[in-house]
Short mmCIF file of all heavy atoms in Angstrom, two decimals:
data_model
loop_
_atom_site.label_atom_id
_atom_site.label_comp_id
_atom_site.label_asym_id
_atom_site.label_seq_id
_atom_site.Cartn_x
_atom_site.Cartn_y
_atom_site.Cartn_z
N ILE H 69 -13.14 -16.64 -25.18
CA ILE H 69 -13.94 -17.48 -25.92
C ILE H 69 -15.28 -16.92 -25.95
O ILE H 69 -15.91 -16.89 -24.75
CB ILE H 69 -13.88 -18.93 -25.55
CG1 ILE H 69 -12.50 -19.47 -25.74
CG2 ILE H 69 -14.87 -19.79 -26.44
CD1 ILE H 69 -12.28 -20.91 -25.28
N THR H 70 -15.89 -16.56 -27.07
CA THR H 70 -17.28 -16.11 -27.09
C THR H 70 -18.23 -17.19 -27.41
O THR H 70 -17.92 -18.05 -28.30
CB THR H 70 -17.43 -15.01 -28.10
OG1 THR H 70 -16.44 -14.04 -27.87
CG2 THR H 70 -18.90 -14.36 -28.06
N THR H 71 -19.36 -17.30 -26.78
CA THR H 71 -20.26 -18.40 -26.92
C THR H 71 -21.05 -18.18 -28.16
O THR H 71 -20.90 -17.06 -28.87
CB THR H 71 -21.38 -18.36 -25.79
OG1 THR H 71 -21.98 -17.18 -25.68
CG2 THR H 71 -20.56 -18.64 -24.45
N ASP H 72 -21.73 -19.16 -28.63
CA ASP H 72 -22.38 -19.06 -29.95
C ASP H 72 -23.48 -17.98 -29.92
O ASP H 72 -23.79 -17.20 -30.95
CB ASP H 72 -23.27 -20.44 -30.15
CG ASP H 72 -22.41 -21.53 -30.45
OD1 ASP H 72 -21.08 -21.29 -30.80
OD2 ASP H 72 -22.74 -22.74 -30.16
N ALA H 73 -23.98 -17.71 -28.79
CA ALA H 73 -25.06 -16.52 -28.68
C ALA H 73 -24.31 -15.10 -28.78
O ALA H 73 -24.96 -14.22 -29.08
CB ALA H 73 -25.79 -16.70 -27.33
N GLY H 74 -23.02 -15.13 -28.60
CA GLY H 74 -22.26 -13.92 -28.77
C GLY H 74 -22.36 -13.09 -27.54
O GLY H 74 -22.04 -11.87 -27.68
N VAL H 75 -23.03 -13.52 -26.45
CA VAL H 75 -23.24 -12.68 -25.35
C VAL H 75 -22.15 -13.04 -24.26
O VAL H 75 -21.52 -12.08 -23.70
CB VAL H 75 -24.55 -12.93 -24.76
CG1 VAL H 75 -24.82 -12.03 -23.55
CG2 VAL H 75 -25.67 -12.70 -25.90
N GLU H 76 -22.02 -14.22 -23.80
CA GLU H 76 -21.19 -14.56 -22.76
C GLU H 76 -19.54 -14.79 -23.28
O GLU H 76 -19.52 -15.46 -24.17
CB GLU H 76 -21.57 -15.75 -22.00
CG GLU H 76 -20.87 -16.21 -20.86
CD GLU H 76 -21.43 -17.43 -20.12
OE1 GLU H 76 -22.43 -17.99 -20.57
OE2 GLU H 76 -20.81 -17.89 -19.12
N VAL H 77 -18.68 -14.27 -22.52
CA VAL H 77 -17.27 -14.46 -22.90
C VAL H 77 -16.65 -15.30 -21.69
O VAL H 77 -16.70 -14.79 -20.60
CB VAL H 77 -16.61 -13.15 -23.04
CG1 VAL H 77 -15.23 -13.30 -23.44
CG2 VAL H 77 -17.34 -12.31 -24.30
N THR H 78 -16.01 -16.29 -22.06
CA THR H 78 -15.37 -17.04 -20.99
C THR H 78 -13.79 -16.97 -21.31
O THR H 78 -13.33 -16.77 -22.38
CB THR H 78 -15.72 -18.67 -21.14
OG1 THR H 78 -15.45 -19.04 -22.35
CG2 THR H 78 -17.17 -18.62 -20.69
#
Side-chain angles (χ1 to χ4, degrees):
I69 300 177
T70 306
T71 59
D72 295 335
V75 177
E76 184 179 359
V77 178
T78 59

